Amino acid sequence: MNNDNKLHKLSIGVITAMGLLATPQVFAQEEAEDGAEPVEKISIVGSRIRTDAFANDTPIDIISVEDAEQEGLKTLGELLRTSTAAAGSSQITAALTVGFVTDGGTGAETVGLRGLGANRTLILLNGRRAGPAGTRGAVSAFDLNSIPLAAIERVEILKDGASALYGSDAVAGVINIITKKGDDKTITVDISQPFESGGEDKRINISYGEEFAEGSFRVTADYRNTAMMSRGDRDYFNCTERLQFLEDGSRSDPIDPRTGKPHCSETGYGLWLYGGVSSAYGGSLQAAYDYDGFFAANGFESINEADVGFTTPDGWYPVSYGNDYASEGWWDLNHPYLAKQTVVPETTTTSLYATGDYNLSDSITMYGELIFSRRTTETNDYRQFWTADVGVLPATVLDGFDGNGFVFPVALTDHFSSDIEVNYTRGVAGLTGDIGFWTWDLSYQHSISDGDYNQDIIYRDSMLMAQYNAADGVSCSGEVTEFSNKTCVNIPWTDPQFLYGNRSPEQLDFLFGRDNGNTEYTQQTLEGFITGDLFTMPAGEVGAAFGFQVQRDEIDDRPGYHTLNGNSWGLSGAGITAGSQTTKAVYAEVKMPLLEGVAGAERLDLTASGRWTDYDTFGTDTTFKLGLNWEIVEGLSVRASRGTSFRAPALFELFLAEQTGFGGQLAVDPCLDYEAGFASGAISDTVYQNCIADGVPADYVQAGGSVTLVTSGGAGRLQAETSVAESVGVVWTSPEDTYAVSVDYFAIEINDEIDNLGGADIVSRCYSSIDFANEPLCDLFTRRDGSSANDYGIDQVNGGYVNIAFQEVRGVDYNFTYQDDFDWGSLRFRVEHTMQIEQYSKLFSDSPYNRRTGEQGYPKHVGVARLTYSNDDFSLTWTANYFDSTNDYEYYASETNTTTVNGNTVTFIDETPWTTYHTVSGSFEYESLDVILGVANVFDKAPPRISSSGFDLGNTVLASQYDFIGRRVFANLRYNF
């Protein structure tokens, strides 16, 4: 057997056989028998240029932890987001889980390739599946916090669909995390210190490895703490402004007279006034209390002084009313709670990783891995609460109020914090060996994620009791609430101090509490394979791999007592999400050398693979993949592949218990003020006629209470997604191996995509139906009957996971590497660039296309460039991560950046410019000490600012491509002992 063929077989093994990475000694033994240089079995064929992606039949990125250290990256998630296959879409990061409901819960970090989501990207750890981790019912992906970066040597990213080999979750590609081996022993201290407070990152790591005649082992212990960063820590996260401009470029925002600057448009609190008093001010009237005496000192007219037929206790002033646009600026919304709102959560992670192998005989080796990780995450937040359940309060039932009007009190509270603890344990045990030139591997993997999530809540039963007492004008008389078991306390809904957040201990105890839930997710996998040579063809030996897999997944999410009973006011309710799924699969791959050493074909290899999979939740399916690697002449080759994939529904998509959320009538109900909508052309004649047919009166023009949105799993109705992935590329390597270039086109098309059919989609499709009387979507929601204040709003919408969508993504990956040695040192320059040609989806077959490319979070061009100079034990590295400009103007009626405000045509900002972040670092070795020093975000570039749109925080775009922390210095000190 020649060495070249073994290298080709290794390439098959890395991409094909998941257990192969655990068997270094097998191939070393074979090579030694041939008298050739031993080849590390996890190597991927390539030139001496460290760009393995240039020599394979499928495009592969190799990202080393060395790169991460030189760039000041501290987590596996940060490392993976440097890959252009991930950087082209917004990922779930710890910062982006704060204040949002995301898969995996608060603090979880996941990654999805090609913008297709974490559910469609397979994470392997040393070639074997890494089980999911996180909290709440939508756990389905590996939490990247679970393994310390210090235990990792490199990451291989297969940027191509691979369900034929790895299973249904490899639709967009595979990420294989390779851990360190060897007998080195180190203590590492790693810090990242921002130039401004907040977001500090500290880590200490101890790693101990030993190699001996019969095997090896390595243990890594890691402790990391990331300090909380709050909105008040960075100017660009502080007050949200409207950011609107007149034709001459001046700001049109209302001005806050306290500061002389544009108004801080944040969460409101105070009194919303309706009825005759509101009409006197032109409608849309709020009343703000003069907490600091500013209104009185500067001659503002109070409501009592205005003589509008409505009186209040002293100190209430009209703000944000229809007759005067400037009055919007008078409302002081820069509340102290704002500065304390979490952007980056406080996170502490303690991890232990151990791996080892032992030779039971000359041909059989036993190996194992163990991870234990504990992550705690803490967040602070604030929220509104109001008399939503009873609506407005007549002035006659409120002390100090009188006249023609109604009062709707809105209060603030910082009782909205959360803390999470996730304990993740994963063990692997396996045997591997060889029979002649065939290698076999058998392994068992068991992972358990046990997560507790604790959330500050407002008791719904207390809120109802307090609201109904206020509406009826009565005081408490010893009543006890149903679920929270609290004795009634009188709530002063219109007291300025209560609204501001200053409350008595009795009030706090009556209204506020905490709910505690738990999520357990277990995954067990038994898999085996055998790989070797089948027979010899004129161009070489035909390599093959055959394998099987049996996997069982179980989820058991039990929300807290109050969430289960719907007693958490204003937050999503949920039931118990519990279910299991067993998967059985067999797969095979064959690699055939068709031609070698002929004109026009230095080498031509064809790879074919197939997989049969059975899911006990819905049935079986078969997938295949073909790959071609054609080396035309030495240094120039073409590679291509085409494969089918399917994705089985995740457990939460099947078994998610009914979760409730809340939406606004304006966003959900097309029949709200439908007469005016039809007259302006905003709704069609079909919608107009169907609103009439449904009995919605034309005078239903005022939005009522919120819509209850129910989401549930699709067990019994969901089918697997199906997809096709194609790629074709060209690779060129210079004769002297100094330059290498690759260009790869990719396309992935998903049919019957599993998606959550939301409330707005259900209601809109119902009223747009030409067969309204028989439209099944109309049975999924209910309306109120108008008995309360002419409220005919949507009451509840029952949505959930269904097979409805279509999605396609196409693009091109570019890679360039230059490396050479000189008398004065070595230079290495690398550029990785991805151009997304398009990414679009359709909700229904007749729906319009939703084109994401170029939108915020989905830049058309992304890339990373790295330049390294090294000389002996010293090196300097410069890195630039860049992202194309984006805009979301297509979502506005004008599809431009113009609108009309206060009778003026104004422009606003909903676009981001081309953004580049620079990092510089240097490293040197001195005896047993390795030191890296650097600065990330060298030019302290703030994240892009946009006008207030709902996808921002303090006018900062909420997308994972942008740096939220700012310029920081980082250091890595490693002592080798």
Side-chain angles (χ1 to χ4, degrees), residues 143-163:
D143 182 0
L144 301 174
N145 296 296
S146 300
I147 183 168
L149 196 61
I152 300 170
E153 177 184 300
R154 70 179 186 274
V155 177
E156 300 170 351
I157 302 178
L158 176 61
K159 302 183 295 184
D160 200 8
S163 287

Side-chain angles (χ1 to χ4, degrees), residues 49 187 255 259 286 409-410 656 795:
I49 302 175
I187 297 178
I255 301 300
T259 63
Q286 281 81 47
V410 177
L656 186 70
D795 185 40

